[in-house]
PDB file of all heavy atoms in Angstrom:
ATOM      1  N   GLN A 109     -17.855   9.200 -23.950  1.00 97.00           N
ATOM      2  CA  GLN A 109     -17.358   9.470 -25.298  1.00 97.00           C
ATOM      3  C   GLN A 109     -16.974   8.184 -26.022  1.00 97.00           C
ATOM      4  O   GLN A 109     -16.502   8.238 -27.151  1.00 97.00           O
ATOM      5  CB  GLN A 109     -16.141  10.402 -25.225  1.00 97.00           C
ATOM      6  CG  GLN A 109     -16.431  11.750 -24.573  1.00 97.00           C
ATOM      7  CD  GLN A 109     -17.491  12.530 -25.326  1.00 97.00           C
ATOM      8  OE1 GLN A 109     -17.337  12.824 -26.519  1.00 97.00           O
ATOM      9  NE2 GLN A 109     -18.584  12.868 -24.657  1.00 97.00           N
ATOM     10  N   TRP A 110     -17.166   7.065 -25.381  1.00 98.00           N
ATOM     11  CA  TRP A 110     -16.785   5.785 -25.969  1.00 98.00           C
ATOM     12  C   TRP A 110     -18.023   5.000 -26.384  1.00 98.00           C
ATOM     13  O   TRP A 110     -19.088   5.133 -25.792  1.00 98.00           O
ATOM     14  CB  TRP A 110     -15.947   4.965 -24.991  1.00 98.00           C
ATOM     15  CG  TRP A 110     -16.608   4.694 -23.662  1.00 98.00           C
ATOM     16  CD1 TRP A 110     -16.686   5.537 -22.583  1.00 98.00           C
ATOM     17  CD2 TRP A 110     -17.288   3.492 -23.261  1.00 98.00           C
ATOM     18  NE1 TRP A 110     -17.368   4.949 -21.555  1.00 98.00           N
ATOM     19  CE2 TRP A 110     -17.751   3.688 -21.936  1.00 98.00           C
ATOM     20  CE3 TRP A 110     -17.547   2.278 -23.893  1.00 98.00           C
ATOM     21  CZ2 TRP A 110     -18.449   2.717 -21.226  1.00 98.00           C
ATOM     22  CZ3 TRP A 110     -18.251   1.299 -23.193  1.00 98.00           C
ATOM     23  CH2 TRP A 110     -18.691   1.524 -21.880  1.00 98.00           C
ATOM     24  N   ASP A 111     -17.844   4.193 -27.400  1.00 98.00           N
ATOM     25  CA  ASP A 111     -18.906   3.307 -27.868  1.00 98.00           C
ATOM     26  C   ASP A 111     -18.653   1.863 -27.456  1.00 98.00           C
ATOM     27  O   ASP A 111     -19.577   1.144 -27.095  1.00 98.00           O
ATOM     28  CB  ASP A 111     -19.032   3.392 -29.394  1.00 98.00           C
ATOM     29  CG  ASP A 111     -19.386   4.787 -29.871  1.00 98.00           C
ATOM     30  OD1 ASP A 111     -20.480   5.270 -29.531  1.00 98.00           O
ATOM     31  OD2 ASP A 111     -18.558   5.395 -30.577  1.00 98.00           O
ATOM     32  N   VAL A 112     -17.374   1.450 -27.533  1.00 98.00           N
ATOM     33  CA  VAL A 112     -16.998   0.082 -27.167  1.00 98.00           C
ATOM     34  C   VAL A 112     -15.773   0.121 -26.270  1.00 98.00           C
ATOM     35  O   VAL A 112     -14.843   0.903 -26.501  1.00 98.00           O
ATOM     36  CB  VAL A 112     -16.695  -0.775 -28.414  1.00 98.00           C
ATOM     37  CG1 VAL A 112     -16.234  -2.180 -28.007  1.00 98.00           C
ATOM     38  CG2 VAL A 112     -17.919  -0.886 -29.313  1.00 98.00           C
ATOM     39  N   LEU A 113     -15.784  -0.720 -25.259  1.00 97.00           N
ATOM     40  CA  LEU A 113     -14.640  -0.910 -24.377  1.00 97.00           C
ATOM     41  C   LEU A 113     -14.091  -2.303 -24.639  1.00 97.00           C
ATOM     42  O   LEU A 113     -14.818  -3.294 -24.557  1.00 97.00           O
ATOM     43  CB  LEU A 113     -15.086  -0.772 -22.922  1.00 97.00           C
ATOM     44  CG  LEU A 113     -14.021  -0.801 -21.825  1.00 97.00           C
ATOM     45  CD1 LEU A 113     -13.110   0.412 -21.931  1.00 97.00           C
ATOM     46  CD2 LEU A 113     -14.689  -0.835 -20.459  1.00 97.00           C
ATOM     47  N   TRP A 114     -12.806  -2.385 -24.987  1.00 96.00           N
ATOM     48  CA  TRP A 114     -12.148  -3.671 -25.250  1.00 96.00           C
ATOM     49  C   TRP A 114     -10.892  -3.693 -24.408  1.00 96.00           C
ATOM     50  O   TRP A 114      -9.924  -2.986 -24.697  1.00 96.00           O
ATOM     51  CB  TRP A 114     -11.828  -3.795 -26.743  1.00 96.00           C
ATOM     52  CG  TRP A 114     -11.308  -5.134 -27.161  1.00 96.00           C
ATOM     53  CD1 TRP A 114     -11.601  -6.355 -26.625  1.00 96.00           C
ATOM     54  CD2 TRP A 114     -10.385  -5.394 -28.229  1.00 96.00           C
ATOM     55  NE1 TRP A 114     -10.922  -7.354 -27.288  1.00 96.00           N
ATOM     56  CE2 TRP A 114     -10.180  -6.789 -28.276  1.00 96.00           C
ATOM     57  CE3 TRP A 114      -9.730  -4.582 -29.158  1.00 96.00           C
ATOM     58  CZ2 TRP A 114      -9.333  -7.383 -29.204  1.00 96.00           C
ATOM     59  CZ3 TRP A 114      -8.881  -5.184 -30.077  1.00 96.00           C
ATOM     60  CH2 TRP A 114      -8.687  -6.567 -30.104  1.00 96.00           C
ATOM     61  N   ILE A 115     -10.899  -4.503 -23.352  1.00 95.00           N
ATOM     62  CA  ILE A 115      -9.890  -4.327 -22.323  1.00 95.00           C
ATOM     63  C   ILE A 115      -9.590  -5.633 -21.604  1.00 95.00           C
ATOM     64  O   ILE A 115     -10.413  -6.552 -21.564  1.00 95.00           O
ATOM     65  CB  ILE A 115     -10.372  -3.238 -21.323  1.00 95.00           C
ATOM     66  CG1 ILE A 115      -9.260  -2.752 -20.411  1.00 95.00           C
ATOM     67  CG2 ILE A 115     -11.574  -3.726 -20.537  1.00 95.00           C
ATOM     68  CD1 ILE A 115      -9.643  -1.534 -19.585  1.00 95.00           C
ATOM     69  N   ASP A 116      -8.393  -5.704 -21.021  1.00 92.00           N
ATOM     70  CA  ASP A 116      -7.944  -6.883 -20.279  1.00 92.00           C
ATOM     71  C   ASP A 116      -8.367  -6.838 -18.810  1.00 92.00           C
ATOM     72  O   ASP A 116      -7.621  -7.283 -17.951  1.00 92.00           O
ATOM     73  CB  ASP A 116      -6.413  -6.979 -20.327  1.00 92.00           C
ATOM     74  CG  ASP A 116      -5.906  -7.491 -21.655  1.00 92.00           C
ATOM     75  OD1 ASP A 116      -6.651  -8.203 -22.330  1.00 92.00           O
ATOM     76  OD2 ASP A 116      -4.764  -7.164 -22.009  1.00 92.00           O
ATOM     77  N   SER A 117      -9.511  -6.300 -18.527  1.00 91.00           N
ATOM     78  CA  SER A 117      -9.938  -6.118 -17.135  1.00 91.00           C
ATOM     79  C   SER A 117     -11.381  -6.568 -16.955  1.00 91.00           C
ATOM     80  O   SER A 117     -12.275  -5.756 -16.707  1.00 91.00           O
ATOM     81  CB  SER A 117      -9.796  -4.645 -16.725  1.00 91.00           C
ATOM     82  OG  SER A 117      -8.466  -4.198 -16.831  1.00 91.00           O
ATOM     83  N   MET A 118     -11.615  -7.866 -17.067  1.00 97.00           N
ATOM     84  CA  MET A 118     -12.980  -8.366 -16.932  1.00 97.00           C
ATOM     85  C   MET A 118     -13.623  -7.976 -15.600  1.00 97.00           C
ATOM     86  O   MET A 118     -14.807  -7.606 -15.582  1.00 97.00           O
ATOM     87  CB  MET A 118     -13.017  -9.881 -17.136  1.00 97.00           C
ATOM     88  CG  MET A 118     -14.422 -10.458 -17.134  1.00 97.00           C
ATOM     89  SD  MET A 118     -14.531 -12.178 -17.712  1.00 97.00           S
ATOM     90  CE  MET A 118     -13.586 -13.031 -16.431  1.00 97.00           C
ATOM     91  N   PRO A 119     -12.911  -8.016 -14.464  1.00 96.00           N
ATOM     92  CA  PRO A 119     -13.556  -7.590 -13.217  1.00 96.00           C
ATOM     93  C   PRO A 119     -14.018  -6.132 -13.261  1.00 96.00           C
ATOM     94  O   PRO A 119     -15.108  -5.816 -12.761  1.00 96.00           O
ATOM     95  CB  PRO A 119     -12.451  -7.790 -12.170  1.00 96.00           C
ATOM     96  CG  PRO A 119     -11.584  -8.859 -12.743  1.00 96.00           C
ATOM     97  CD  PRO A 119     -11.565  -8.585 -14.219  1.00 96.00           C
ATOM     98  N   SER A 120     -13.227  -5.253 -13.860  1.00 95.00           N
ATOM     99  CA  SER A 120     -13.611  -3.842 -13.945  1.00 95.00           C
ATOM    100  C   SER A 120     -14.818  -3.660 -14.856  1.00 95.00           C
ATOM    101  O   SER A 120     -15.714  -2.852 -14.571  1.00 95.00           O
ATOM    102  CB  SER A 120     -12.438  -2.998 -14.459  1.00 95.00           C
ATOM    103  OG  SER A 120     -11.329  -3.077 -13.589  1.00 95.00           O
ATOM    104  N   VAL A 121     -14.849  -4.411 -15.954  1.00 97.00           N
ATOM    105  CA  VAL A 121     -15.980  -4.321 -16.872  1.00 97.00           C
ATOM    106  C   VAL A 121     -17.236  -4.887 -16.207  1.00 97.00           C
ATOM    107  O   VAL A 121     -18.334  -4.338 -16.360  1.00 97.00           O
ATOM    108  CB  VAL A 121     -15.670  -5.068 -18.185  1.00 97.00           C
ATOM    109  CG1 VAL A 121     -16.880  -5.063 -19.110  1.00 97.00           C
ATOM    110  CG2 VAL A 121     -14.478  -4.413 -18.885  1.00 97.00           C
TER     111      VAL A 121
END
Side-chain angles (χ1 to χ4, degrees):
Q109 300 300 302
W110 57 279
D111 299 296
V112 177
L113 186 66
W114 187 31
I115 194 171
D116 283 334
S117 300
M118 185 168 65
S120 299
V121 176

